[in-house]
Structure formats: C-alpha cells, structure tokens
Amino acid sequence: MKSAAFEYARASSVAEVCDWLRDGDDDIKLIAGGQSLVPMMAMRLTRPARLIDINEIDALKFVAVEKDAVRTGACTRQCVIANDNSLAKAVPLIRQALEWVGHVQTRNRGTIGGSLAHADPAAELPLVAQILNAQLVLRSFAGTRTVAANDFFEGPLATATRADECLEEIRWPVWNETRTGSAFTEVSRRHGDFALVAAAAQVSLDAGGKCTRASFGLAGGGYIPMTFPKLAARLLGTILDDEVVQSVVNDAAAEFDPGGDLHANAEYRRQLAAVLATRMLRAACEDARKRR
Amino acid sequence: MAENKNPYGFRYIGAKRRTKEDPRFVTGCGRFVADIALPGMKHVAIVASPHASARIVSIDTKAALAAPGVHYVLTGEEFCRDTDALAIGVDTPKVTRYALANGVVRYAGEWVAAVVADTRALAEDAAELIEVEYETTQHVVDPEIAVKPDSPQVHPAHGTNVLFHRRFVWGAVDEAFEKAQNKVKLRVRWGRSSTVPIETFGVAAQWDAGRELLDVWASIQMPKFPDQLARAMRLPGNAVRVHYDVDVGGSYGVKRGIKHTVLVSYLAKKLGMPVRFLEDRLENMRGGDMHGPDRLFDMQAAFDNDGTIRALKIRALDDVGAYAGRSPLQLGKPVSAICGPYRIKAVEYEPTSVMTNKTPQEAVRGFGQAPTNFALERTIDHIARHLGMDRIELRKKNLLQKEEFPYLIPSGSTYDSGDYHAVLDKALAAIDYPSIVAMRDAARKAGKLAGIGISTCLEPSGGNSAFEPLFNPKNDTTTWMDSCLVRVDLSGAITGIMGTSSAGQGHETLVSTVVGEVLERDPATVRVIRADSLNALPSNSPVGSRMAIMLGGAAAGAARIIKETLIEIAAHNLGCTIETIEYKDGNVAVRGHPEKKMLWDDLIAIAHRKYHKMPPGLEPGLQAKFVWEVPTGGTLPTADGVAQIYPCYSFETHIVYAEIDRETAKPELKRYVCGHDCGVMINPDIVHGMTYGGIAHGIGAALYEKFSYTEDGQLESGTFMDYLMPSAMEVPMVDIVDHCTPSPLTTFGQKGSGEAGYLGAPAAIANAINDALAPLNASIETLPMSQNDLWRVISAAGTGSR
Amino acid sequence: MNEKLYPVTVEVNGKPRSTQVPARLSLVDWLREELRLTGTHVGCEHGICGACSIMLDGEPVRSCLMFAVQADGHKITTVEGLGGTDGKLSVLQDSFCEAHGLQCGYCTPGMLIASQALLNTTPDPSEAQIRDAIGGNLCRCTGYRQIVDAVKLAATRLAAQKK
C-alpha cells in the first residue's frame, strides 16, 4: 500500500496554487489534511502526477464570526473549528456534526474545506453545508466565484470545483432568529465510521413556538448529501407537531434514495432516514425552545 | 496498587507483579519483524488473482522485470517445481497448496506472482506491470452447495469439495431421542471472522551460502514451523534457523505464515540477497490465508420435562475456503468438550469440512471451540424457552457438580476439576442479577428492546492436539511436549531459555515467576531468553491455551532440578543427608543447626569452579532442562472415535445486559460481567488482560466482524473501513470475577487462559440479543448480528417501522 | 530509479533530522525505515488502526496519512520521545506497566501518544473522555480495559505530583 510516484510542491500562497492550477491539468491534486486522499493514494485508487500541498498557506486558516455568516478558511483544521466557541455559538450545527467526524487524530489533521472538496456522500460536513446552503468561495487565476453548497455537490466525490480552482473559503450562514435550534445525529456501525445514515436539522421558532425557518437533510449511502427545501417549507407556520413532522419526513425519506452496501441495504437506510430525520427535527425544535 | 496479597500461599505466583515484557514496549523498544533491517535487504510485492476461480492462460513479466529497482519476478511454474507443497492436516494428498498458484487460481486474492525490488514501493510499481491472462471457471461460495456432488470443484483432483466428514456417536443417542419427553431443533451460523492482529504477518529471510544455512525472522506462532519450512524448501532441518527472538504483534492463532515464509526463503536463497515481505493490510485480509471458522450448525437436543438434558445431535458444516491446511482440525478440538460443562451422556457429532472458492482458514483463538460453545449455548436457551424454564435454573440443573470431577465425558476426555455453580453464583452476585432483571423489565415497559444473556462455557487447555490422529488415521502423533532450560551462571544470575516466540502472552513473565517461585529468588532478577530453532529444546508453541501449563510446568521442572542439585552440593559439603537440608531463598542450612549453612553464592561457586567440592557423579556447571509431555497425553484415539484430548478445563460464565434501539436497530451492551476459573493464576494481570481482550474479540465476532463475500466470490470487507473491529467505544466496561479451582494435573494448579473471554462472549451476547427480541417473537441465529440483520428481524416482526 | 528527491528537515524528539526523500514516502515509513525509529508501528496504512500515531507540533496525528515531505519544518514526537532524557519512563509509560495496559505491544505506541495528548489538555479525564481519546486506536489484545485503567492511574499520579 505505497502510493504511486508523484511530484510534490508546497504552496505558500493561494495565488501560487492558482498559478500552478492554471492549465486545468486533471493530474494535479491539492492535498489538505489528506485523511481521505492519502488512503486512496495508498490503495492506488487515485494517482495524481503532482500533489500541491496547501497545508502551509496561513491565509487559508482562519475563523471569522460575522453577523450574517461565519467565514472559515478552507484549510482550517477540524479540531480548530470544533474548539472555536464563538463559531459554535453562531453556527452550533458545525460543532454538533464534528462530534461524529472521525477521531481525534483525524480531526487534528483533517480540514473543513478538505471534507467539502472531497465530497464523500456519507460525510458529515457536506451535509451541514447542504442544510445551511453554505457559500463556497472558489478561486482560480482568473478570480473568485462563489458557489452555493446546493449547487456545489454534484455526485459521490464530485463537485463543481473546476480543475483550475481551489476552494478558498466557506461562508456558513448565521440564523439570527433568537429561537434557533439545531441537531445532528447519525447511525454508523462503529463510532467514528462514516454514517450509514446521518441526519441534521435547524429550525427557528417565533415567540408562539411556530416555525419561521427550517432546514433539514440526510446523508449516507446516497448520491450526495440531500436537503429538502420544499419539504422544509411545509413546516413553516406549524408548531412542528408530530403529524406535520411525520408527513414531511416520510416524503423526505421517499425522496432520499440511498443505495445499499454490505453494511446496510437501501431499505434499512430508508428506515434510518425517516427515524433520524424525525428525531433531529424534534431535537432541533427542543433546542430552539430552550433559547430566548 | 502493588499489593502483594496472595490467595494461593505462593510467594510470587498469583501476586500482583509487573510483567517483564511491558517496559520494552512502552518505550518503543520492541523488536518486531518489521524492525529487523538486514543489510542489502530487498522487498516483495504480490500480484493476486482478481477471480474466485480461473485458469491462468499466460503471465507476461517482461515489463515488470525491466522496471526500476526490480531484481526478480517469481511465478508459480518455477516455484512449484523447485519447492514442495505445504503440509496438510487431514489425509487429502491431492489438495496441494503452494504460496503461488500454478496454472489455476482458486480464490480472489490468491497469490499469482511475487516481485522483488529495492523498495516495497518499486515492487508495487512493477507488480502493476505484470499482465496475467485468465480464463474464468465455475466457482462456488456457498458451503451448502459445495458439499453437493454436482458442485463446481475447488480441487477437481480430490474428487469432492469435502475434506473431512465423519459421524461420531458417543453413548446411546438414538435411544435417548426416542425416549425423550421433549426435543428441540435449531440451526445457527457462525460468521467468517478472524483474530486480525494489528500487526500483519511479516517475514525476513537470509541465505548464508557459505554455511548453507537459512536464517528466518518471522512474526510466527506455529507448531512445527521450522520443520515444515525445511521440508517445503527441500532442506535438512538443521539448515533452517528460525529466530524466536522476534516480538509478535498479536496472533491469537493466526500468525502461521508458512506460505509467506517458504516464498521469501526461496527468493532469498535463489537471489542470494536478504528478502523481506511484510503483508500490507489488503494482502493480509484477502490473501493472508487467516480467515477463521465459517460454520453452520444443526443442533438437536433431547431432554426431560424437568430440564435434564439427555442427548445432543450436532451437525457442523465448516467452510474452510480454497485449501486445507490445518483448518479441518478446527472441527476436531471441540470433541474435547463436546457436551460443554454439562452432564450430557450421549452425543452425536457429525462434522463436515468443505472447500469453497474463498480465502483459506487458519487457526483462530479457541481452534473451533468458540463457535461450538455458541451453538451449545443457543441450544440451552432454546431448551429453556421450550420448557418455559429459567435459563439459570436450567443451566444449574445440568452443570456438573464439583463433586463429580474428574469427569469422563462421552467422547473420551476427562474434565480435571471445576466448581461451575460457584463461579456462576459469583458472577450473578457481581452483576446484581435481580437488579438487571428489573432494569430489563423497566426498559421493556418503556417500549425498549432489552435482554439479558448468559453463557456457561469451557476452555479446554493444555494444547494436547490429540484431534490430529482422530481426524487423520495416518497421523499417529501422541506428544505435544514443551520444554525449558534453566541456567545459573557463575555470577549466580538465573536465565530461563524457551524455544518459541510470544505474541503478548507474557511468557517471559511466566517463566521468571515460576523459576523464581521454585528457587525462591526474585523473578525480577531472572532473565528469560528465546533460543532459535537450532539450539532450542522442543516446543509446540503457544497454541491451545497451553503455555501456563506446559511452559510453566517445564520451567518449574527445570528449576526443581537446579534446586535439588544445590541441595546435593550443600549436603555433600556440610556433611549431612539431603533430607536434613533446609532451602530458603537460595541459601541452605542444616535443620536445627542454623550455623551450618551455605549461601547461594557459595553453592554457585562450587558448581562452576570447585569440582573438588562437587558430590561425585554430578556434572559441573549449573543448568537443567526439563521436557514435559502434556498431562493425560500419549494415547491414540480408539477406532470408534473416543479420545482423551485436552488435560485441563477452564470455566467461564458471561452475563450481559443489552438494549437495542427499536427504531435504528443499534445494539448496546450496557452491563457485562464475566466469572472465570482457570485454576491458579500465575500472573492475574496477564490472565485478566487476555480475558478482557477475548471478550472484546467476542463482541466483534458477535456484532461487527465479517469477511463478507459477494456471489462472485469477491471479498467485500478487505479493509479496516469495512472489516469492523470494536474500538474502545464499542467495548463496554467489563468486570471479571475470579474463582480458583486448582487443576490436580498441573504443577501449581494452573489451567489455560489464552482463549478466555472469546469462548463465551459471542454465546452470551447472542443470548442477550435474542432475549431482547423475545417479546417480538423474533430471533436471530446468525453471527455477526449486524444492525441491518437486527433491523430485518425487528421489522419482520411488524414493529420496526412506524 | 530516477524518482525525484526532496529535502526534509524535521525536529524529531528534540533533534533536527534531515534527509532526502521521494515525495511518496509516508511519514511513518520515513521514521521507521530511514531514521530507524521503529517504535511507531504500521498497522493498516489507511488511517483506521492508529498504530502509527505520533505527535505533530504537539497534536496526535496518523503518520501513515502524511507524506514525509509534508513534515518539513515541523516538530514530531514519537514514542521514543515520551520518556525522560535520562531514560526514565514517563508517568504514563510507567502507569501502562503498572496496570498492564498492553500485551503484544504493537498498538501501544499509538495508545501512548493518544492518551498522552489527552492528558496534556485534560488532566482529569473521565472514562468516557479516555475512551473517546483512544477511540481511533485499535487494540486486539486488551479489550481496552487495562488501557483505560492505565490512563486513569497516570492522571491520578500526575495530579499528585503537582500538589
């Protein structure tokens, strides 16, 4: 399990990365934390001719909490994100999700942008990005563009990132409604494994307990992590009673089209999707009720 | 912490003592095979078959040979011509096996070619350039199809896929079934898993042409390994030197890379260069030939209304994969405890060992006993359910009473000693059984699935492999001795020498403790070293829970000879008889005359330097060997299949409380107590450690671990992402309750414990899960019980979906 | 053999170490095969078992999931660097011996790195915190119980030392 040979270049700035990526060469790969890329290279499932290391670019490592969004540099380590209290206050769902991501050693090295750019359909952070419709800033030699998460994920391990682009920054929308709650859970075989199914939700309530804003999503065994804006809209104006949650979740589980593998067949995954989505909407609602 | 309380009246045995081995491992100073760097060493990568069954049409190695850093590419044609086939445990001479396939591949992952290069990375580069053309042939992955005459044949020359089949009848089985007031019948399945040590198998070899000597360093745990290697290499036994001074990074049975070693030895000799092969994890899982039993049981029991079990019928079908090796014998060891800890006087046992196009099976912790215990314990629970009887009451009724030992079981082995009821009662008290019953009932009332599982199981120990002649009439081996050499040097320091390697069992601690006990010298001062195969005394290696008994017994025997020699020297020099000598802490005095004494150093000096003071007839120097035959060993089985197999029988009971999330089917083990009696524990920390580890391994076998195959015969759990070993997050806090019933057969009353925990955990967990499912009238009889499987039975019972 | 070599200089256990490496050489292979620091072990090479855990700039990471060239300019601590310079065992190492928190010793270096990292930030860890900290390290021998005991013991001893 030794990687095939490649050339290595350590980038010192995003501009340098963009310059190297200019030709849009498919044989070039960026490496951030490498927690998914390196095993794939060791198994020779991927064999880039050239590896550009973005780990030493300080400009890609930051957390900036602003009124409407939390901005995170793409190469910020997952452990840094998880330990940032102001971030957790502004967008609690990220920390809630990170509790399910890998282990201490992988979070110390793994980055927030790397997880999104890798786009494993069972990974936790892409699901959060989908639910919040995070904005992803992609940079190339020609400039930057911002892609909404809902447009970013195109398939398993496939994103809208062009071969000449580098993910630079992720903007996580902050819901400023006072009574906003969120929850994340998943079922996996073992703790720290990729989810068989992950579910998360975020809702805001008005003073009367009626839902004013809602988003939820599912991941695992699917094509991409999914969020259901149209179904979530049906929750608005309700008190998130069992009946409406159940109806919305049933439709979501039907829309969520998970595949089967040796750990869980499609039918079991659909059941998990319904159960976990229900639980997370309830939990997010509970969480919102506690806040004022 | 370091409290030196000793329950047995020994000085060192049984006391809390640090091990001799731990310090080198916590400082990173272990010496594993991957740590051995031979000058100029080359590295091997493997080309493996992508097909479950195929003919090899051609192999083109040209591009690989031309690749950078490549020294050689070896294929089966040359290798099978120039080496001999590996040994087989049963009488199936046409089921030949070599490290490299020759013309035919029989499982996906089977080795087809080996590349030798300057680095492992370069060897992998070149391996990718080897072009093999295959013509696929019919394969079989289902053992129930494989046993049929019209199945595709894994080895057509053998004429059938069946390697071994026999129907043993011990006692009046048919009569008991005819007269029985009640009968149950069930089918249970033990899934294909293994021990999967964190260290893969590795081997380094070097051929010394000047001396005509092959040196081998390997992460090995295997009886008769040097002999098998020499035979396959067509070398005399004394041209192979296996170095046992290699730390083995876990084994629990499977570290038997004989095929790897013959391959690497051949390459080293052929090329005249040291060669190393460390399996990577992918090679290890697919082609390392270390899968465990994969077994289907059809169980029947005949019993009275009061719960008295009269007879058992056991049919076991074991899928050993594509080659034989020793694996059919894993159906043989359970004969030694075929009725479990119960008073069952008639047993029919019909084992069948069958080949399929899967990775071959290797010895796994318990050598087939854990699956058998699982099947027995599920049967006991079915009997209880049938009668509406409490499972503990049923067990207590049928468990042997302590007065009944030694107890001859129908298949011919005698259980040495035990107090099963006492151990069970202790465990019930430790878990506060009424409280977990209340917990379960409250959980059920709250709508949860909750259950309690109990198992009461045996661990045959002492490693007397008398199932070999039972399963192979051409094999009349009747000894599985072990030995130890103890030396006291001129400075008075003691060294114990053992002739095998260790994989975490603490043999250095064992030998030093025992020698220290006998000679009354601090074990911390006793050094223990490992000979190599050319200067070692005979050993059958740490298999079958044998080392505390066998190596411990041998070390004690050798130390006793030393002690007797010292007493003789003292008597001679003090002018008295040996009977009047009192030995204390290595010094001696004449009883009643404390002034007439000699110190340890005086006695050593005489032995080593002062021949004029030696008693006539004693040889100078101070060393003693002791070779010990397994107690109760030495006999062949009878023609009708009655055999005295293992000498000692440890007992364990597991009590587990589990809950299953009704909606997600996720199981959780919430309380876990194990009651354990392995006689006198030489080092309690070591025994407890192995037991905790065995339980964790058993949790894996019960809930998580499976070498899963597609219908095409492809392994789909060949990485650690898909083969799921439990982490600290899956293994609950386990409490062990000790009990001690000494064995009358061993030096200090010790029994074996190397397989402890694993032999009863899967059974108890399966019983707990089934107790949880009982209110749904659902059950699950297949291990591992994955969440998906649990969900299937829960939802089929009509309550899973909402 | 014309694979390009890259210079790396890494401070390993307090000492600067410099060599030339091919880009694809993993950090664990560099530590083991080139620096001969064989205490760090290879178990799976795909980031699951944790046997290769080391500290990179004080934080535990998997050294099979980094290339040696990526470590250039960083600081590494391996199991060989956990003890005192006088050769004495660290409190944690000694506690592993006292509680017999190991058997074959293969996963042990990774367990020590993971639990030392925990103790560095959490001097009085709960059992749940200990299990979480070693949750990414597989052990096949111990069933984890005596490892948990060893880490608890080390925490108690370290606390007593501070008093």
Side-chain angles (χ1 to χ4, degrees):
Chain A
M1 291 176 73
K2 310 297 179 196
S3 300
F6 58 85
E7 284 184 22
Y8 173 85
R10 181 181 277 196
S12 54
S13 70
V14 184
E16 197 176 21
V17 174
C18 293
D19 198 39
W20 288 337
L21 290 177
R22 192 174 182 132
D23 295 335
D25 188 344
D26 281 341
D27 279 353
I28 301 181
K29 269 254 177 213
L30 302 187
I31 184 167
Q35 303 298 288
S36 297
L37 177 63
V38 177
M40 288 174 68
M41 290 175 70
M43 293 180 199
R44 301 197 175 196
L45 298 172
T46 182
R47 46 178 84 214
R50 194 161 184 224
L51 205 60
I52 296 177
D53 189 347
I54 60 170
N55 280 286
E56 306 297 324
I57 305 176
D58 288 340
L60 289 177
K61 296 174 190 169
F62 63 88
V63 175
V65 179
E66 295 169 2
K67 183 163 185 305
D68 294 322
V70 171
R71 298 192 299 116
T72 56
C75 208
T76 312
R77 307 277 176 216
Q78 290 162 5
C79 61
V80 172
I81 302 277
N83 291 331
D84 191 310
N85 290 329
S86 57
L87 180 150
K89 199 157 174 253
V91 190
L93 191 55
I94 298 176
R95 180 183 281 179
Q96 290 164 347
L98 278 167
E99 284 173 18
W100 298 91
V101 176
H103 303 282
V104 178
Q105 293 101 318
T106 59
R107 291 192 296 270
N108 279 336
R109 190 75 189 154
T111 65
I112 190 139
S115 176
L116 299 181
H118 183 65
D120 190 298
E124 291 82 1
L125 291 170
L127 175 60
V128 175
Q130 282 284 52
I131 289 172
L132 299 177
N133 201 16
Q135 304 294 303
L136 291 91
V137 180
L138 297 167
R139 182 150 151 193
S140 72
F141 71 99
T144 62
R145 64 176 178 132
T146 301
V147 178
N150 295 168
D151 300 320
F152 181 75
F153 298 105
E154 296 186 336
L157 313 189
T159 70
T161 315
R162 292 194 312 255
D164 66 347
E165 284 178 325
C166 165
L167 177 60
E168 187 173 30
E169 177 181 322
I170 305 101
R171 296 184 184 148
W172 307 88
V174 175
W175 291 16
N176 286 311
E177 290 85 343
T178 316
R179 303 180 76 191
T180 295
S182 61
F184 191 106
T185 193
E186 69 182 43
V187 168
S188 56
R189 293 292 302 275
R190 293 174 304 185
H191 185 82
D193 285 343
F194 275 118
L196 299 180
V197 171
Q202 183 157 310
V203 299
S204 298
L205 307 178
D206 66 14
K210 280 195 181 138
C211 180
T212 59
R213 201 172 173 187
S215 184
F216 71 100
L218 291 162
Y223 181 64
I224 55 171
M226 287 181 76
T227 185
F228 307 91
K230 280 187 191 151
L231 297 175
R234 280 170 34 199
L235 299 168
L236 303 183
T238 75
I239 55 160
L240 298 174
D241 51 291
D242 284 356
E243 200 178 329
V244 68
V245 166
Q246 205 56 66
S247 141
V248 160
V249 161
N250 285 346
D251 290 353
E255 201 177 311
F256 182 60
D257 186 22
D261 59 26
L262 82 151
H263 299 301
N265 64 21
E267 213 185 337
Y268 175 44
R269 277 203 166 92
R270 262 194 296 278
Q271 154 87 359
L272 287 175
V275 168
L276 299 184
T278 306
R279 288 183 184 177
M280 289 308 95
L281 278 167
R282 284 186 189 145
C285 186
E286 280 303 304
D287 188 33
R289 283 187 191 130
K290 281 187 294 196
R291 294 173 200 269
R292 37 190 69 247
Chain B
M1 197 86 192
E3 179 183 9
N4 250 21
K5 247 201 224 153
N6 197 309
Y8 314 124
F10 294 111
R11 181 189 290 208
Y12 302 116
I13 287 173
K16 158 86 192 169
R17 291 188 61 78
R18 288 192 176 200
T19 74
K20 280 202 117 49
E21 293 88 347
D22 289 355
R24 71 172 180 264
F25 295 125
V26 300
T27 48
C29 295
R31 186 166 180 264
F32 297 91
V33 64
D35 305 342
I36 290 161
L38 303 169
M41 184 167 74
K42 307 302 175 200
H43 303 265
V44 177
I46 297 289
V47 177
S49 166
H51 304 294
S53 177
R55 208 168 59 75
I56 298 172
V57 178
S58 64
I59 305 178
D60 184 348
T61 62
K62 268 202 280 322
L65 279 166
V70 171
H71 295 274
Y72 201 65
V73 176
L74 179 66
T75 61
E77 197 180 347
E78 173 189 335
F79 183 71
C80 299
R81 184 189 67 218
D82 293 343
T83 64
D84 283 340
L86 302 176
I88 308 171
V90 286
D91 185 20
T92 57
K94 297 283 167 59
V95 185
T96 53
R97 176 180 172 220
Y98 294 86
L100 296 180
N102 187 14
V104 177
V105 290
R106 298 183 170 89
Y107 65 96
E110 182 167 4
W111 298 354
V112 172
V115 181
V116 184
D118 286 333
T119 67
R120 167 74 193 204
L122 291 171
E124 285 188 36
D125 292 349
E128 290 184 319
L129 301 175
I130 294 175
E131 282 180 37
V132 186
E133 192 188 333
Y134 298 95
E135 188 182 287
T136 58
T137 46
Q138 276 201 312
H139 67 278
V140 58
V141 292
D142 181 341
E144 290 188 278
I145 292 172
V147 287
K148 293 181 180 160
D150 56 350
S151 160
Q153 305 266 303
V154 181
H155 291 263
H158 179 59
T160 165
N161 290 323
V162 174
L163 287 166
F164 180 83
H165 171 259
R166 187 169 170 184
R167 184 167 162 264
F168 298 94
V169 181
W170 301 293
V173 178
D174 287 341
E175 194 191 328
F177 270 85
E178 275 161 31
K179 288 187 187 160
Q181 290 169 323
N182 303 277
K183 288 177 229 176
V184 293
K185 219 176 177 179
L186 63 149
R187 170 168 260 220
V188 301
R189 179 159 208 158
W190 176 277
R192 197 179 197 84
S193 59
S194 188
T195 73
V196 194
I198 308 302
E199 180 204 48
T200 60
F201 185 80
V203 52
Q206 177 169 269
W207 173 253
D208 183 333
R211 294 183 176 82
E212 297 199 328
L213 182 61
L214 179 71
D215 279 295
V216 171
W217 296 261
S219 52
I220 198 74
Q221 179 213 351
M222 180 173 173
K224 303 181 172 75
F225 174 76
D227 177 68
Q228 289 195 23
L229 172 59
R231 284 173 199 271
M233 288 291 293
R234 298 174 186 159
L235 289 170
N238 64 6
V240 169
R241 180 163 62 184
V242 177
H243 296 262
Y244 294 125
D245 192 12
V246 172
D247 292 315
V248 179
S251 171
Y252 336 95
V254 302
K255 284 279 176 70
R256 303 194 182 196
I258 183 72
K259 82 167 186 185
H260 315 54
T261 306
V262 178
L263 177 70
V264 167
S265 298
Y266 177 81
L267 288 167
K269 184 163 180 279
K270 166 104 189 175
L271 303 178
M273 304 169 179
V275 176
R276 176 174 94 176
F277 173 54
L278 307 176
E279 284 177 334
D280 70 21
R281 188 52 71 179
L282 299 179
E283 288 161 340
N284 169 257
M285 304 286 270
R286 266 176 106 211
D289 295 7
M290 57 77 176
H291 291 190
D294 182 352
R295 207 171 281 188
L296 197 58
F297 289 93
D298 286 300
M299 305 291 292
Q300 294 183 61
F303 48 98
D304 295 348
N305 290 334
D306 69 355
T308 305
I309 303 169
R310 296 292 174 185
L312 294 174
K313 287 186 185 177
I314 304 172
R315 284 179 59 201
L317 176 64
D318 198 24
D319 174 355
V320 302
Y323 292 91
R326 268 176 78 78
S327 45
L329 300 174
Q330 295 202 78
L331 287 162
K333 173 173 166 181
V335 171
S336 188
I338 198 67
C339 53
Y342 307 110
R343 193 185 306 98
I344 303 173
K345 302 215 162 130
V347 181
E348 178 184 304
Y349 180 50
E350 192 177 344
T352 305
S353 178
V354 67
M355 292 183 285
T356 60
N357 294 103
K358 292 183 196 151
T359 301
Q361 184 186 104
E362 193 43 271
V364 159
R365 197 177 211 150
F367 209 66
Q369 192 69 48
T372 309
N373 287 351
F374 156 69
L376 286 171
E377 290 304 293
R378 284 302 299 140
T379 306
I380 300 293
D381 268 26
H382 274 260
I383 294 171
R385 202 162 165 181
H386 180 94
L387 292 172
M389 191 169 170
D390 179 72
R391 293 172 294 167
I392 296 167
E393 194 191 323
L394 176 68
R395 284 183 168 80
K396 284 189 171 173
K397 184 162 195 73
N398 290 282
L399 285 174
L400 292 165
Q401 295 283 354
K402 67 174 175 183
E403 299 78 23
E404 294 178 79
F405 296 97
Y407 181 85
L408 176 66
I409 68 166
S411 56
S413 291
T414 297
Y415 294 171
D416 55 338
S417 66
D419 189 350
Y420 305 158
H421 294 80
V423 182
L424 179 55
D425 283 337
K426 271 190 180 178
L428 289 166
I431 204 165
D432 187 8
Y433 190 70
S435 80
I436 60 163
V437 171
M439 204 189 294
R440 176 192 65 183
D441 294 346
R444 283 179 177 174
K445 262 195 192 137
K448 290 182 189 167
L449 297 174
I452 297 168
I454 297 149
S455 68
T456 43
C457 298
L458 291 181
E459 177 180 357
S461 61
N464 192 55
S465 305
F467 44 76
E468 286 178 17
L470 184 66
F471 270 44
N472 183 358
K474 290 189 182 156
N475 181 345
D476 58 359
T477 309
T478 55
T479 177
W480 288 273
M481 67 292 196
D482 233 289
S483 42
C484 189
L485 177 66
V486 175
R487 257 186 209 142
V488 185
D489 63 31
L490 189 50
S491 76
I494 305 166
T495 303
I497 299 156
M498 52 184 282
T500 188
S501 47
S502 304
Q505 305 96 328
H507 300 139
E508 294 161 36
T509 305
L510 165 69
V511 169
S512 61
T513 306
V514 162
V515 169
E517 184 73 40
V518 173
L519 291 177
E520 301 177 29
R521 307 291 287 181
D522 183 354
T525 66
V526 178
R527 182 172 295 280
V528 181
I529 63 160
R530 291 149 201 286
D532 59 57
S533 61
L534 289 186
N535 60 26
L537 296 171
S539 169
N540 276 281
S541 86
V543 296
S545 288
R546 71 199 305 274
M547 291 317 246
I549 297 167
M550 295 305 301
L551 179 58
R560 276 179 188 155
I561 297 171
I562 299 275
K563 185 175 169 182
E564 284 159 13
T565 305
L566 294 173
I567 290 173
E568 272 190 68
I569 295 171
H572 181 69
N573 286 279
L574 292 169
C576 62
T577 64
I578 54 173
E579 290 76 22
T580 59
I581 292 285
E582 273 183 345
Y583 180 100
K584 190 166 187 297
D585 302 342
N587 306 316
V588 293
V590 180
R591 189 175 301 119
H593 300 276
E595 73 291 352
K596 292 177 83 176
K597 63 178 182 186
M598 292 181 81
L599 300 178
W600 174 263
D601 288 349
D602 304 333
L603 298 167
I604 304 306
I606 290 170
H608 275 285
R609 295 152 59 115
K610 304 177 186 178
Y611 195 53
H612 60 287
K613 291 191 171 182
M614 284 290 275
L618 274 195
E619 64 184 38
L622 196 52
Q623 60 185 341
K625 71 160 183 152
F626 194 92
V627 183
W628 202 28
E629 168 57 2
V630 183
T632 75
T635 55
L636 285 168
T638 64
D640 56 350
V642 174
Q644 165 58 45
I645 308 184
Y646 279 45
C648 301
Y649 294 81
S650 300
F651 176 78
E652 62 192 56
T653 179
H654 298 242
I655 307 175
V656 194
Y657 173 65
E659 289 182 6
I660 308 169
D661 183 321
R662 191 187 280 262
E663 292 181 320
T664 65
K666 184 140 177 129
E668 191 188 352
L669 308 179
K670 294 179 91 84
R671 294 287 309 279
Y672 203 117
V673 164
C674 173
H676 186 216
D677 181 357
C678 62
V680 170
M681 294 186 284
I682 311 272
N683 183 305
D685 279 352
I686 289 179
V687 171
H688 292 154
M690 292 197 287
T691 310
Y692 292 127
I695 291 169
H697 182 193
I699 291 170
L703 296 174
Y704 299 103
E705 298 176 33
K706 187 179 181 186
F707 290 112
S708 179
Y709 278 84
T710 64
E711 284 180 8
D712 293 340
Q714 296 293 332
L715 177 65
E716 49 180 352
S717 49
T719 72
F720 276 6
M721 283 181 269
D722 290 316
Y723 186 90
L724 308 175
M725 289 193 281
S727 78
M729 303 296 279
E730 282 72 46
V731 179
M733 190 49 115
V734 172
D735 289 313
I736 295 172
V737 196
D738 295 321
H739 189 79
C740 176
T741 314
S743 173
L745 301 174
T746 61
T747 321
F748 304 102
Q750 73 271 38
K751 302 183 181 186
S753 68
E755 297 154 352
Y758 185 64
L759 295 190
I765 294 163
N767 285 347
I769 296 290
N770 276 291
D771 187 43
L773 297 173
L776 303 178
N777 254 329
S779 67
I780 183 164
E781 303 292 2
T782 298
L783 301 189
M785 302 174 293
S786 74
Q787 284 154 226
N788 202 148
D789 296 339
L790 290 172
W791 174 75
R792 213 176 41 237
V793 301
I794 293 168
S795 60
T799 55
S801 55
R802 289 196 169 183
Chain C
M1 271 221 305
N2 37 18
E3 219 169 311
K4 189 175 166 190
L5 298 179
Y6 300 77
V8 286
T9 300
V10 183
E11 188 184 309
V12 182
N13 298 331
K15 288 183 202 136
R17 307 293 294 260
S18 298
T19 67
Q20 303 264 324
V21 297
R24 61 166 150 174
L25 185 70
S26 70
L27 179 56
V28 66
D29 283 349
W30 183 64
L31 291 168
R32 290 182 47 80
E33 304 290 336
E34 295 211 16
L35 304 190
R36 300 300 305 158
L37 290 168
T38 54
T40 305
H41 295 153
V42 174
C44 72
E45 290 184 284
H46 55 285
I48 306 292
C49 78
C52 67
S53 299
I54 54 144
M55 292 205 206
L56 178 76
D57 302 325
E59 302 287 347
V61 301
R62 304 202 190 289
S63 62
C64 76
L65 295 188
M66 273 183 75
F67 297 106
V69 63
Q70 293 187 279
D72 185 38
H74 292 272
K75 290 182 184 174
I76 282 174
T77 305
T78 68
V79 66
E80 289 93 342
L82 287 181
T85 42
D86 53 359
K88 263 199 184 152
L89 300 183
S90 73
V91 171
L92 182 66
Q93 288 170 319
D94 191 71
S95 300
F96 265 65
C97 294
E98 179 64 24
H100 191 48
L102 62 145
Q103 286 168 42
C104 79
Y106 203 75
C107 76
T108 310
M111 288 290 179
L112 288 164
I113 292 285
S115 37
Q116 185 63 56
L118 172 72
L119 293 174
N120 289 348
T121 56
T122 315
D124 184 22
S126 65
E127 187 198 324
Q129 286 172 316
I130 296 170
R131 286 181 180 271
D132 185 60
I134 62 168
N137 295 64
L138 295 175
C139 170
R140 199 52 148 175
C141 293
T142 63
Y144 308 102
R145 167 68 198 261
Q146 286 157 315
I147 296 175
V148 172
D149 291 347
V151 179
K152 277 187 197 159
L153 176 63
T156 309
R157 287 174 164 183
L158 287 165
Q161 270 185 9
K162 274 188 193 148
K163 274 180 191 166

